[in-house]
Amino acid sequence: MKECGNDTIKYIETNLRDNKERYIGKPFAVFTSEFEMDIRFQRNFDGRQPIKNQIWGVMLGYIEDDYYYIKYQWPFYDILIEFERPYLKTGPDFSWEGSHVLGKGRHYFDDYIVKDIEIRDGLEWWKTQEGSLWKGGELMIWTK
């Protein structure tokens, strides 16, 4: 963050969009140990065959509440991470209670291997048809 002048948008663009290959093929723990901002789990991705409730990806945020960002058109990104097989956990295994708080859910997927990372403009993506689906699984975007 310091190298990016504490600019969160520049930090995300530099470390995730432009240099995402440094996390591809590595455990999610590498990502969580290097990502300097608080992580908020916004969504788990499941819904793929053969076992529909296996978690194959996550959507992360770094802001606590996207309502004001959308309302006032402040820039933010959605961070989408797809995992390699085998998928080790299922939807029912994951408890949302407290999971978005740094230190609880942050390390839940550390044993997963990162397959892909996508960064999406949160202000625009949630408005599109694609904003309801991602890589064959369901994605819910809510605006309160």
Side-chain angles (χ1 to χ4, degrees):
M1 281 290 287
K2 187 185 268 186
E3 293 145 359
C4 295
N6 290 325
D7 182 335
T8 56
I9 297 299
K10 186 175 180 183
Y11 176 82
I12 298 285
E13 289 174 347
T14 301
N15 290 291
L16 296 181
R17 190 176 66 192
D18 299 341
N19 297 311
K20 71 177 187 175
E21 56 280 341
R22 75 188 211 198
Y23 300 111
I24 306 298
K26 295 185 179 154
F28 186 63
V30 173
F31 173 86
T32 58
S33 67
E34 290 185 3
F35 194 72
E36 296 179 42
M37 300 160 67
D38 287 353
I39 293 174
R40 177 178 174 235
F41 283 86
Q42 294 180 309
R43 176 78 164 99
N44 289 334
F45 298 111
D46 54 17
R48 286 185 174 174
Q49 297 296 335
I51 302 173
K52 290 184 81 67
N53 67 353
Q54 288 181 324
I55 298 172
W56 57 266
V58 292
M59 183 172 84
L60 303 176
Y62 54 92
I63 56 176
E64 188 61 33
D65 187 345
D66 54 16
Y67 173 79
Y68 291 103
Y69 282 78
I70 293 166
K71 181 177 178 180
Y72 297 114
Q73 301 293 292
W74 298 336
F76 71 97
Y77 286 116
D78 290 323
I79 303 165
L80 301 123
I81 299 180
E82 181 181 12
F83 299 122
E84 294 277 2
R85 288 182 183 270
Y87 308 128
L88 307 171
K89 296 176 173 70
T90 65
D93 293 335
F94 187 82
S95 168
W96 282 101
E97 187 173 328
S99 65
H100 66 284
V101 185
L102 178 64
K104 291 204 175 185
R106 185 178 183 107
H107 298 290
Y108 189 76
F109 297 101
D110 280 357
D111 50 353
Y112 273 67
I113 302 298
V114 175
K115 181 177 182 178
D116 193 18
I117 297 176
E118 289 187 36
I119 308 301
R120 301 290 181 99
D121 180 333
L123 286 174
E124 295 303 318
W125 188 45
W126 68 273
K127 300 175 189 174
T128 67
Q129 182 70 22
E130 187 185 16
S132 61
L133 299 171
W134 184 61
K135 296 193 177 196
E138 295 182 3
L139 168 61
M140 299 184 313
I141 301 288
W142 54 89
T143 58
K144 294 184 184 177

